[in-house]
Amino acid sequence: MSQAECPFLQPLLQYLLVKLAPVILRVKPAGMLRLTNCRQLAGGRQYDLFCVHQRRVAESLKLECRILRSEAAESVVLFFDRARLLQTLTAPAAAEFLRGCGYPATGELEPLLRELIARCRHGRKFPHEIGVFLGYPLKDVRGFMENPADCLAVPRGLWRIAGDPEESLRIMEQYRCAEQTVRSVLDHSVTFDRALNRIHQAIAAA
């Protein structure tokens, strides 16, 4: 990667590698990030960098992405592994739940993504069923939609839990372990490119 070409692209990729580690390592179907004009990253041009280098970013992460919502100051982006996301959304219970929410009955990914994007762009808030896309347990997504007051907020929790917390806590720990794995690779690699190669090797071996 040429620093002369874009000195801020590598910091952006490092940030995304950590934040999207569970998706990159194929333990989570998708991740949603707000990319803003953040002064703490990429010289204040995080959002601009993603717009300019979107294809390069997707290739480096080995993920696909869709912009869910784009405004002057930020872009909300869904990053996903196509095979795992399709498997998640077409599992019988998830597919039935999404049909009940008004999503098309389909075995294909694109119609589901189009419906999600339309809902994200036309509502003030993101639809709660997006949790299914993000790999949250269906019981937690359904429970929060039905009665958020009954859902449990746990310390360092990634979402609110409905009912028995065992499955939810186990999945949260898987996501945290994936992030720690990528952090460790970045910390112990001589160069960023070598770290990226090691991460890609881990993906291929998965």
Side-chain angles (χ1 to χ4, degrees):
M1 180 178 299
S2 171
Q3 290 295 301
E5 175 189 349
C6 181
F8 298 120
L9 182 56
Q10 180 176 314
L12 173 62
L13 285 172
Q14 287 183 247
Y15 170 83
L16 294 175
L17 281 168
V18 172
K19 290 297 183 181
L20 297 169
V23 188
I24 292 168
L25 296 182
R26 307 305 190 249
V27 296
K28 188 174 190 282
M32 183 177 72
L33 291 178
R34 295 179 182 271
L35 302 182
T36 66
N37 288 311
C38 176
R39 295 182 180 273
Q40 297 178 346
L41 178 68
R45 292 189 291 274
Q46 181 182 349
Y47 168 71
D48 301 321
L49 275 176
F50 175 74
C51 288
V52 172
H53 298 290
Q54 182 172 337
R55 178 177 294 180
R56 177 78 170 273
V57 167
E59 289 174 352
S60 295
L61 302 179
K62 295 193 179 300
L63 297 175
E64 294 185 51
C65 59
R66 296 287 190 279
I67 296 177
L68 298 179
R69 181 180 296 171
S70 185
E71 299 174 349
E74 70 175 16
S75 186
V76 182
V77 185
L78 184 76
F79 295 88
F80 60 94
D81 172 66
R82 174 170 289 272
R84 188 163 182 84
L85 183 57
L86 179 61
Q87 180 184 42
T88 297
L89 300 182
T90 57
E96 181 182 359
F97 172 75
L98 290 173
R99 286 195 298 271
C101 292
Y103 284 73
T106 177
E108 299 180 358
L109 184 59
E110 289 303 325
L112 298 171
L113 286 173
R114 285 196 295 269
E115 180 64 24
L116 175 67
I117 292 169
R119 294 183 182 209
C120 289
R121 293 182 179 177
H122 293 101
R124 292 186 60 187
K125 296 182 179 180
F126 287 94
H128 294 308
E129 69 274 5
I130 196 173
V132 178
F133 290 75
L134 299 177
Y136 301 169
L138 181 58
K139 71 178 184 65
D140 295 339
V141 178
R142 190 193 304 274
F144 186 82
M145 292 176 69
E146 292 175 352
N147 191 354
D150 282 348
C151 293
L152 175 67
V154 299
R156 298 178 61 242
L158 303 177
W159 60 83
R160 294 175 69 91
I161 297 173
D164 186 349
E166 182 177 358
E167 176 194 7
S168 305
L169 294 175
R170 176 179 56 80
I171 293 173
M172 286 185 194
E173 186 59 26
Q174 288 178 342
Y175 295 169
R176 291 194 189 97
C177 286
E179 182 174 320
Q180 186 55 47
T181 296
V182 169
R183 285 186 186 274
S184 180
V185 170
L186 290 169
D187 289 343
H188 293 89
S189 297
V190 176
T191 65
F192 176 75
D193 286 340
R194 185 170 295 180
L196 198 58
N197 286 336
R198 289 181 62 190
I199 292 168
H200 288 168
Q201 290 170 5
I203 297 170

